[in-house]
Amino acid sequence: MASYITPAFGIHFTAVEPGGIASEFANTVLEQVEQTGGMLEDEYLPILQKYIAGSQNRQETGIYQTADEVAAIVMKVMGSEHPPVRTRTSEWSEDFSKLKTGLDPDGLKQQSLVAEQFLK
């Protein structure tokens, strides 16, 4: 949509790609799982257990951001005269997605190419 609608109507689209967001929701879910053992005993259990076990380590390594930090990035994009088609909200999310976004980090090259090839 960004490739077609932005040039024609001036309506901008931005995909915000955050990393982990520290929230009380996540804390409540993890606390409930720990208290109740509320996980199904199926083929996903070992993966979920590894994920939960690594949660503390991820908090210590700076993966998680606050909701306010993510909101500040969203507000910055909203106030931009020429917003990116995509943006990440932290150094961690930037690094995590660099293989996907390395050639066109803000998505504007792809947007321009589509407009050039299909909207002439």
Side-chain angles (χ1 to χ4, degrees):
M1 291 179 69
S3 297
Y4 299 107
I5 294 175
T6 298
F9 298 102
I11 299 171
H12 298 276
F13 297 84
T14 299
V16 177
E17 301 168 316
I21 300 172
S23 70
E24 285 309 306
F25 174 78
N27 293 337
T28 301
V29 169
L30 288 175
E31 184 179 309
Q32 184 179 7
V33 166
E34 287 177 11
Q35 288 176 356
T36 66
M39 295 183 275
L40 294 175
E41 293 199 24
D42 59 13
E43 59 273 8
Y44 299 107
L45 182 60
I47 296 168
L48 185 56
Q49 288 171 327
K50 285 181 185 179
Y51 181 82
I52 290 172
S55 178
Q56 181 66 34
N57 183 48
R58 287 188 295 276
Q59 287 178 350
E60 293 169 3
T61 58
I63 288 177
Y64 296 114
Q65 301 175 263
T66 67
D68 289 339
E69 291 170 326
V70 175
I73 301 294
V74 171
M75 295 302 292
K76 182 179 176 183
V77 167
M78 289 174 60
S80 175
E81 190 173 325
H82 301 287
V85 175
R86 74 172 69 88
T87 191
R88 271 77 45 216
T89 63
S90 69
E91 186 177 324
W92 182 88
S93 61
E94 194 71 56
D95 188 53
F96 186 77
S97 61
K98 68 183 174 187
L99 293 176
K100 175 179 79 170
T101 61
L103 295 175
D104 189 12
D106 59 11
L108 295 174
K109 290 177 186 173
Q110 180 70 36
Q111 181 185 40
S112 178
L113 180 65
V114 169
E116 180 183 307
Q117 291 185 359
F118 297 102
L119 300 177
K120 280 187 174 185

